[in-house]
Amino acid sequence: MPGAREQIRSLVLSGDAFDQPGELIRELQLEAAREAFAAHRERIPLLRTRAQETGVHEITGLDDLVPLLFSHTSYKSYPVSLITAGRWDRLLRWYTTVSAVEPSDVDIDGVRDIDEWTERITAAGHRPYITSGTSGKVSFLNCDASDLSFLHDILEHLTCWPDPLPPKPTRRGYLLAPASGPMRSVDGFRWHAEVFARPGQTQLLTEDPMRVSELMSSALLRRRMAEGTATPQEISSFETGSAAREEELGAAVDRIVDDIAAHRDEPLLIAGMNNQQFALIQALRARGVPDGSLHPDTLVLSGGGNKGRALPDDYQAQLAAFYDGVRRVRSYGMTELQGSCLACEKGNYHVPPWVIPLVLDEPGEVLLNPEHGVVEGRFAFLDVSLEGRWGGLISGDQVLVDFSPCDCGRAGPVVLPDIRRYGDLGGDDKITCAATLDSYVRGMIHG
C-alpha cells in the first residue's frame, strides 16, 4: 500500500482533491508529516540541525512541526558576497544546506556567473526556482523531477477548479513572460500553453531567457538607490538600460494587444503577473475592446501581487470587470507552495490536501489552529508533497483561516480573502526563528 504522502499526491489525478472528508485528510496529513520529516531529516542539514537543537525527534502532533519550520527568508540567507566574489563552491554549500541536494552531484567547475551556477544545478536533475527579488535578494527553492511532475499534474487537472478545464489545446496563447527562466511562473505559464493552447499559436513577451544575474543586479541597485548609496553613474546607466528595456517590452505588448483585439472572438489563453495583466487591459481598453467582450472559453492566469510596481487600489476589481465572463484562475499561493489554495464558488481559498496549514502568532512561535472557527495570524504550512526541499515554512502573510466547513459545502480549512503582508502593516516583519536559522546556515557554510 502506498504511503500517506503518495496517497495525498494521487488525489490530484482523482478529480476530487478538494472534496475529501476533513477527518480522513487530517489523519493522512499527520502520517504524511511523519513520513516527510523522516525522509528529509537526514538529507537536509538545516532541518537535521534544527531538529537536534529543538529536541524534536518525531511528529506526534502539529505542535511538533512549529519548531521545525523554516522562515521565508531561509531560502535567501546566503551572503551576496558569495555571488559577487564568484565563490560558487560556497554558494553550493549553502544551497545543499537548505535543500535535498548532494554537493557531489553538481559540477561547478568553470562556472562564470549565477546563471551558469543555476544551470549546473538544473543539469544535476534539480530545478532551483527563484523569487522576484524585490527585496534585493532572490530566494532559491529546490525542486526535483517528481516535484515538477506533480506541479504539471496540478495545472493539468485542477486549472479553474471547482469547474476544472479539460486538458485540450483549443486556444490561441499569449504569455506575458520570457521564453525560459528558473521561475515557477515562467514554467507554469509555458506548461499551461502546452496543455491548453493550440500548437504553434502561442506568443511570448520576449524570446530572450530570463537571466538571474540581471534580476539580482537590478534588485540590488534599486535597494542601494533607496538607501542613497548608489553612485550617479550607476543610476544613469540603470535608467538608460531600463528605458531601453521598457521600450522593447512596450513594442512587444503592442503586438500582443493588436493580436488579442483581432482574435477576441476566439478562445484565448492570456497568462501574466498582475502588473502585466493590468497594463494589458488598459491597452486593450484604449484600443476600444470593451469589458467582458472576450470569448467565454478564454483562460486567464494572473497573480503575484504588484511585484514592486504601484497599482491602483481597485486593480483587482478592474481585472475582474475586464475579464468578466471568461475562465479565470482565482487562487492564493506563493512560489514556496506546490500549486495554490484555490477559490471555491463562495470566494474562499481552499487549502489543498497536500498542505497542512499552521496559523501562528506574529513572531511565529505559537500554533493557533482551532478545531473549528476562524483564527487570525501568520500563515505557515507544511507541504508534504515536496521532495527537493523541506516543505515547512513560515510566510510573511497575515491571514484569516476558517477551520469550519466552508459555505460551499466542502470541508475546511479555507483562507479568507483578506490577506495582507506583515511588511506592509508598518514596522519590521520579524520571525523569531529567522535569526537562529540564518546563524545555523552561516556556520554550516563557513564550518
Side-chain angles (χ1 to χ4, degrees):
M1 181 176 179
R5 296 173 73 199
E6 188 57 37
Q7 290 182 61
I8 288 176
R9 286 173 64 125
S10 68
L11 291 174
V12 171
L13 304 179
S14 70
D16 56 0
F18 291 88
D19 296 280
Q20 301 296 314
E23 184 175 349
L24 170 65
I25 289 298
R26 286 190 292 273
E27 291 178 1
L28 266 178
Q29 285 178 333
L30 187 57
E31 181 56 34
R34 295 188 183 103
E35 292 176 6
F37 178 56
H40 287 305
R41 179 176 49 200
E42 299 309 316
R43 297 184 66 200
I44 302 175
L46 181 58
L47 178 62
R48 181 172 64 248
T49 300
R50 186 67 173 162
Q52 291 170 347
E53 292 286 335
T54 59
V56 178
H57 304 295
E58 61 178 333
I59 307 300
T60 60
L62 298 187
D63 283 294
D64 293 327
L65 292 172
V66 177
L68 302 175
L69 299 175
F70 293 0
S71 164
H72 64 90
T73 62
S74 297
Y75 294 102
K76 60 178 72 172
S77 59
Y78 55 89
V80 175
S81 59
L82 298 183
I83 297 174
T84 56
R87 295 302 308 272
W88 309 118
D89 56 337
R90 289 291 181 92
L91 189 63
L92 179 62
R93 186 183 297 180
W94 166 81
Y95 191 68
T96 58
T97 295
V98 299
S99 310
V101 179
E102 290 296 327
S104 58
D105 291 344
V106 183
D107 177 13
I108 57 170
D109 186 48
V111 167
R112 293 166 294 183
D113 58 23
I114 187 63
D115 292 284
E116 193 166 344
W117 180 85
T118 304
E119 290 165 3
R120 296 292 184 88
I121 294 174
T122 303
H126 298 271
R127 186 64 163 162
Y129 280 142
I130 66 168
T131 54
S132 61
T134 51
S135 65
K137 295 175 75 175
V138 302
S139 297
F140 289 95
L141 297 145
N142 189 63
C143 294
D144 71 4
S146 69
D147 296 329
L148 300 183
S149 176
F150 185 56
L151 271 173
H152 196 283
D153 287 343
I154 290 170
L155 71 86
E156 184 171 342
H157 295 279
L158 291 177
T159 293
C160 286
W161 181 89
D163 184 19
L165 284 174
K168 295 180 180 179
T170 58
R171 294 165 180 80
R172 189 177 183 87
Y174 306 91
L175 307 186
L176 306 177
S180 62
M183 189 172 275
R184 198 186 77 171
S185 60
V186 174
D187 276 354
F189 292 161
R190 188 181 73 253
W191 292 339
H192 273 96
E194 292 172 359
V195 172
F196 297 108
R198 295 190 290 267
Q201 292 193 18
T202 295
Q203 297 185 36
L204 299 172
L205 188 61
T206 173
E207 294 290 343
D208 296 332
M210 182 188 69
R211 292 186 58 80
V212 184
S213 54
E214 293 177 0
L215 185 66
M216 295 187 73
S217 295
S218 296
L220 285 169
L221 185 56
R222 282 194 298 269
R223 187 170 71 177
R224 291 180 58 211
M225 289 167 64
E227 295 169 348
T229 58
T231 68
Q233 292 83 0
E234 288 174 327
I235 295 173
S236 176
S237 177
F238 175 77
E239 291 175 344
T240 300
S242 294
R245 185 65 172 163
E246 288 292 332
E247 183 177 352
E248 178 185 342
L249 294 179
V253 170
D254 285 343
R255 290 193 295 271
I256 288 176
V257 167
D258 289 340
D259 205 74
I260 291 176
H263 294 274
R264 68 178 185 268
D265 293 332
E266 302 176 26
L268 309 176
L269 164 66
I270 305 174
M273 307 309 287
N274 281 334
N275 58 338
Q276 299 166 321
Q277 290 279 9
F278 186 75
L280 181 71
I281 69 167
Q282 295 294 91
L284 286 166
R285 284 168 169 167
R287 296 287 203 287
V289 179
D291 290 2
S293 65
L294 299 185
H295 191 283
D297 285 335
T298 291
L299 170 60
V300 174
L301 309 171
S302 61
N306 62 23
K307 294 302 177 188
R309 296 193 178 192
L311 290 174
D313 292 340
D314 68 340
Y315 80 93
Q316 287 284 13
Q318 291 201 47
L319 289 175
F322 185 83
Y323 289 129
D324 184 42
V326 308
R327 305 297 298 272
R328 186 172 175 224
V329 173
R330 296 180 301 141
S331 64
Y332 163 61
M334 57 195 73
T335 304
E336 293 88 346
L337 273 177
Q338 291 275 74
S340 299
C341 304
L342 298 177
C344 68
E345 300 90 339
K346 299 297 183 179
N348 298 322
Y349 300 115
H350 284 251
V351 181
W354 55 89
V355 175
I356 302 174
L358 304 164
V359 184
L360 309 181
D361 62 351
E362 184 172 347
E365 299 176 320
V366 179
L367 182 66
L368 304 178
N369 286 22
E371 288 191 17
H372 302 283
V374 179
V375 64
E376 179 180 70
R378 185 182 288 275
F379 187 62
F381 56 86
L382 173 64
D383 185 333
V384 299
S385 73
L386 282 162
E387 296 287 355
R389 65 182 186 274
W390 173 235
L393 192 91
I394 304 174
S395 81
D397 291 352
Q398 183 189 63
V399 296
L400 292 163
V401 178
D402 192 347
F403 285 82
S404 300
C406 180
D407 290 341
C408 73
R410 300 177 183 86
V414 297
V415 180
L416 303 182
D418 186 17
I419 300 163
R420 295 181 288 179
R421 297 285 295 176
Y422 277 103
D424 296 334
L425 300 177
D428 295 329
D429 176 16
K430 291 186 176 179
I431 299 172
T432 300
C433 69
T436 302
L437 290 168
D438 289 354
S439 177
Y440 290 162
V441 172
R442 285 193 298 271
M444 292 175 183
I445 293 174
H446 301 291

